[in-house]
Amino acid sequence: NMHVPRTVLARTVLALAAAAFAVLYTTLEAPASCPHDPPESCFFSEAYAPARARFREAAALAGATLHQLNITADLTIDVAVIPANAATPPTLVHMSGTHGVEAHAGSAVQLALLKRWADAPADAPSSRGVRVVLVHAVNPHGFHCGRRWNEQGVRTGTAALMQPM
């Protein structure tokens, strides 16, 4: 039974996610000032607060309507909605941070997509009649603390409320 320190595990997960992201999204351009190799790593944020600020800024630049659900004074679930030009459009929903500690990768994907859609609106699903809903940090406590459970000790990715039949 081997114990791996959380910081080592978190860095390993982030490195693997960065490598997978680089392979999957080679057509996306990273910010011009990115010092990393591969440059796609610049979409990753080191912590919850900068990830949240970057998400909100990118969503605004992409023309999204922002919504916020306050969990605590410092932790929120942010939702960006990019409308489509249709009465009842199909909807694409992407959620990041359900498991908290894994939120870095999902947040990076959302940032990369928002940047791409802001830079090239014709590439956005909304230009083809699809509404886009991006839910950032479903479990902000887990994201902030590097844990899979929320502020109430619930693992949001596995827990479900069951109603008796």
Side-chain angles (χ1 to χ4, degrees), residues 43 45 51 54-55 58 106-116:
F43 289 112
S45 299
R54 292 176 73 194
F55 174 81
S107 178
V109 169
Q110 291 173 336
L111 281 176
L113 291 173
L114 286 166
K115 180 185 183 315
R116 180 182 184 133

Side-chain angles (χ1 to χ4, degrees), residues 54-64 66 82 114-115 117-119 121:
R54 292 176 73 194
F55 174 81
R56 293 181 64 80
E57 179 183 354
L61 290 173
L66 285 165
I82 302 173
L114 286 166
K115 180 185 183 315
W117 297 337
D119 291 348

Side-chain angles (χ1 to χ4, degrees), residues 3-147:
H3 175 71
V4 178
R6 283 180 296 160
T7 55
V8 172
L9 183 60
R11 286 185 190 130
T12 303
V13 168
L14 286 174
L16 289 172
F21 185 77
V23 170
L24 292 172
Y25 297 98
T26 56
T27 61
L28 293 173
E29 292 182 28
S33 62
C34 181
H36 299 101
D37 185 23
E40 291 81 8
S41 301
C42 284
F43 289 112
F44 284 82
S45 299
E46 293 184 20
Y48 164 77
R52 177 179 185 259
R54 292 176 73 194
F55 174 81
R56 293 181 64 80
E57 179 183 354
L61 290 173
T65 302
L66 285 165
H67 305 274
Q68 170 180 312
L69 174 63
N70 295 325
I71 303 302
T72 67
D74 299 325
L75 303 174
T76 63
I77 298 171
D78 294 291
V79 180
V81 179
I82 302 173
N85 296 330
T88 56
T91 302
L92 167 69
V93 178
H94 180 275
M95 299 186 300
S96 70
T98 301
H99 300 289
V101 71
E102 300 164 357
H104 298 276
S107 178
V109 169
Q110 291 173 336
L111 281 176
L113 291 173
L114 286 166
K115 180 185 183 315
R116 180 182 184 133
W117 297 337
D119 291 348
D123 290 344
S126 57
S127 70
R128 293 183 289 285
V130 176
R131 175 181 33 224
V132 178
V133 178
L134 302 174
V135 184
H136 185 261
V138 171
N139 178 4
H141 175 81
F143 190 174
H144 176 69
C145 296
R147 300 281 189 259

